[in-house]
Amino acid sequence: MLFGIHIRKYYKKYAVLFILGILFLIFVDWIQLYIPEFTGKIVDLVNAGVDEESKKTILEYCLWILLIAFGMFVGRMTWRFCILTAARKTDRDLRHEMFLKAEKLSLSYYHDNKVGTIMAWFTNDLETIEEAMGFGMTMLVDATFLLVFTLIKMINYSLALTLFSLVPIIFIIIWGALVEKYMTIKWDQRQQSFDDIYDFAQENFTGIRVIKAFVKENKEILAFSKVAKKNVSKEISFVKTSITFDVLIEIVIALVVASLLGFGGWFVYAFVTNDPVVLMGVEIILTPGELVTFIGLFDTLIWPLIALGQIVSMRARAGASLNRVSKYLDTPEDIKDDPDAIRLTDCKGKITFNNFTFTYPGDKDASLKEVTLTIEPGESVGVVGRIGCGKSTLVNSLLHLYNVDKDAIKIDDVDLMDINIHSLRDNVAIVPQDNFLFSDTVENNINFAHQDHGLEEAINAAKFSDVHDNIVEFTNGYQTVTGERGTTLSGGQKQRISLARAYAKNAPILILDDSVSAVDLKTEEKILHNLKEYRKGKTTIVVASRVSTVSHLDKIIVMQEGRVEAFDTPANLAKTSPTYQKMVFLQKLEKEVEGGDTPGKRYYEAKRGS
């Protein structure tokens, strides 16, 4: 059996199933021991001579054996249903608990732990735990009670023979205690190498387009073979240890069985010659039928002896897996609500940064430095700056994905760290840079925030992001499945569907993190026009790499190396912000270069030539 804080509660939760299954298992263990007794009695009757009375008695014994076999069938079906069902339910609940834990862990945890490793915990390790909870418990209870019941009956026939039969049990107990810890270490190493395979496979499947584009299939196959060979080596090492343990147990059991059969031959010879049978200084007096019963009981004892060996191996594997799962479940949650967290209701959309400085976990340098500004309710604000200047970090900080200093960020004059996380994120809609889509229909992807919305709401949102015309051209329209991560769609389509999903949420605060970079200028202008028309009175933040994207917004934040260089209207920034002026100039220059032979183009080419 497995023990631990994360598994103990499921013994209590499914106690009825476990107890009922164990009772039927004990019942089967008890009644099956009557079969050798009836067999021995039949042998004695046949040995004494068969007459009409003995035939009738033998028939009764045979009927009893059939009745016992039927009882064993019913009992085994019942205990298997109860115990294995409880094990499967435990696996289900534990998996659900792990999934809820995954949702609560911060992004920093996933920076340190690869997805493939976590998936191994959800699959391979949970399967090992379920096996131990089901068949492991069965073997433990079965081996224990069957062993005790059998030994009691064997002692009633011959104490000396029983003591002789205990040799393998003593050996198995000592050997198991010595080997279990070593096997646990071997299994843990095997699981870690299995994690590496999961990590490698997950990364390659995710980046399969890049691998194919650069024709690096053979390189990746070779790299995978190295990882697989390491896993095979660890697997073989564990299997060798396990098999060596099992083989030694089988050898000991076989030697004892051979000795008992040899003793049976000696006993038959002594019975014919009327010589006494003496073992360990004790004369053994058994009828032929009683000897057959004793050997039958020992034959029944073989399974518990084998099971003890398997229990050691299974417990070692399950113990290592449970340690990995428990370590995951015991991981502290960095992002969580305070007991007195405030629910954000009737959000107006006011955002205040007060000397906000932020450093990602594990980094030495701050990504944002002393950011101070206020976005008033209903304002549309752009965020521009060079790549890596902290634009995405600034807007993502509003979602409380990382802990920040007290009073550094406020929403509607309420400290971000005091706001209930669910209510905070419920009032913010975001279009992330990666434009992640689920492998689901277009309609369900757009209505992700509100599953009760229907096709009409999805169409309205799609028209807002100017993707409706593309969707209706799909074979199945809004019922088209986007594929994993939206692989069946173009970059612009994914971006606009992501924008439609955020718009459909109708949140007081909308964040667009470089969300129109994959569309043409005409589509961009239409989306920005819709933002201005349909988002009136609601706060909108647009992160952009092109100045033209944010030039018509109320205000613009200009970022420079993690600091706010300026925060003002576009007209004022054109006079006061060097970074903004440079970005405007470069964009105009780029248009002239694309437009033909102009003074700007000649200037650009001259600069490039020099």
Side-chain angles (χ1 to χ4, degrees), residues 7-26:
I7 208 74
R8 190 184 308 129
K9 56 188 174 185
Y10 295 115
Y11 289 123
K12 296 179 180 178
K13 184 175 182 179
Y14 300 113
V16 174
L17 285 173
F18 279 122
I19 292 173
L20 189 62
I22 289 173
L23 290 176
F24 271 93
L25 182 57
I26 295 172

Side-chain angles (χ1 to χ4, degrees), residues 425-450:
R425 295 173 182 171
D426 196 41
N427 282 282
V428 180
I430 185 169
V431 185
Q433 283 183 335
D434 57 1
N435 302 306
F436 181 91
L437 295 180
F438 296 94
S439 183
D440 203 342
T441 64
V442 173
E443 179 185 346
N444 288 341
N445 268 286
I446 294 176
N447 290 333
F448 181 72
H450 299 286

